[in-house]
Amino acid sequence: MNHFEDRPGPTGALELWCEGVRLADIADAVGTPVYVYSTATLERHFTVFRDALQSAMPGRDLLIAFAVKANPNLAVIRTLSDLGAGADTVSEGEIRRALAAGVPPQRIVFSGVGKTDAELAYAMDIGVAEINVEAEAELDRLAKIAAAKGVRPAIAFRVNPDVGAGGHAKISTGKAESKFGVSFSEARRLYAKASAHPALRPIGVACHIGSQISDLAPMEAAFIKMRALVEQLRADGLSVERLDLGGGLGVPYHDTPAPPTPAQYAAMVARVVDGLDIALAFEPGRVIVANAGVLIARTVHVHHRAEGRRFLVVDAAMNDLLRPTLYEAYHAIRPVRVGNGAPEEAYDVVGPICETGDTFARDRMMPPVGEGELVAFLSAGAYGASMGSEYNARPLAPEVLVRGDRYAVVRRRPTYEEMLSREQAPDWS
Ligand code: LLP
């Protein structure tokens, strides 16, 4: 459930609102394209996820670390942090964002395939909850840095359980051939090696097998393997305090059957860890933010091709919302104003960028949309603004957070002067 709903506008006609604010008012005041997020939806999604886990496993120590990469806006992280969320981060920049948004270091998880020495040193200085080590080479670098600093960071091993899942090959991460994590067969040796090192404090194991997962079976298979690993490590006499089960739960994008609910996911986790005394961590991203955000664009014009194709050219482009181009991802697209009952028409919804890939949808049925009208791309709160770029020298779309009947610009659109001021042509003379 989210808080984007059709309600009557000033003329009485139905149109899309976010909580108590007309999206059309935001578009008029802030300009388009613009991302709009709903505080009530963010809070609801986090609360539903947390409550599902808590009620399936009462009394268990749970860290729910929001995957910052899904939506790194400070206001979004702050909203979740105020509810007790931690942060799953993959770069120094994301750690800095989490801290700036008020997430305490004890709730920050630092993951990533290629953390640099500088990033590892920074994470140790901050004292993050857990550095997820993904390779033996990384373990060795980490040990050296920690020893030189005289600190003993808490680490977990991200283990590749050789179970793949996810909505697209580009976001499946759990198979043995993917670049993520240490292999299952070497986890014991590496955990023992780390435990013997005076500058390291191994506290757990972690896995994350993919994103936009719509079937609990592969997750369950991976989690069962992880439980077995915890038991094996403990039988080896090693201390394992926390099991980090990653993120990955899918969301409804309106084109596929609904994915499992947080309650079904929590019940599955509870089943897998039943009787195992261990703290759990989770790294949800999409399930918290995807349906808490929309991208609003304005139609530049409708281009009717002689042979019959109808292109809806909008002022948002692949640089604003890359998912359709990169993953053939489906986003529901609709006029902000509700149709007056006129029959739907097929549109190719495209942006202005000079590539065919800058196409959001082909033959999408929609109520008739005219020049200058607003359209909304739904479920755009996750991996939307966060994957934006300035391709074609287009300014990054601003972001707006709604709360009740108020809204705030939480990232403003840069001016062209600001964009140009970061660069200079060298004076070679
Ligand atoms: N933990 C780790 C280690 C991850 O790599 C990811 C996502 C997450 C947690 C959060 O996963 P989520 O709950 O959001 O599924 N850009 C793609 C998605 C990439 C996901 C990358 N890793 C998209 O737009 O679909």
Side-chain angles (χ1 to χ4, degrees), residues 65-70 88-90 111-112 132 134 158 168 170-171 173 180 207-213 244-250 253 282-289 322-323 326-327 329 331 382-384 386-387:
F66 168 61
V68 167
K69 62 173 82 69
D88 169 50
T89 60
V90 291
S111 318
N132 287 354
E134 298 221 16
R158 175 161 176 190
H168 190 278
K170 284 182 185 155
I171 56 175
T173 52
F180 301 95
C207 76
H208 170 82
I209 62 171
S211 194
Q212 186 52 17
I213 298 175
D244 177 343
L245 295 174
L249 189 58
Y253 278 106
F282 298 87
E283 303 169 354
R286 190 188 314 265
V287 73
I288 309 292
V289 288
L322 186 59
R323 303 191 67 258
L326 195 55
Y327 317 115
H331 284 267
Y383 307 107
S386 72
M387 294 174 77

Side-chain angles (χ1 to χ4, degrees), residues 227-242:
R227 176 188 175 137
L229 176 62
V230 170
E231 288 173 330
Q232 180 67 65
L233 293 171
R234 286 179 173 174
D236 291 345
L238 304 167
S239 156
V240 190
E241 298 161 37
R242 187 186 286 143

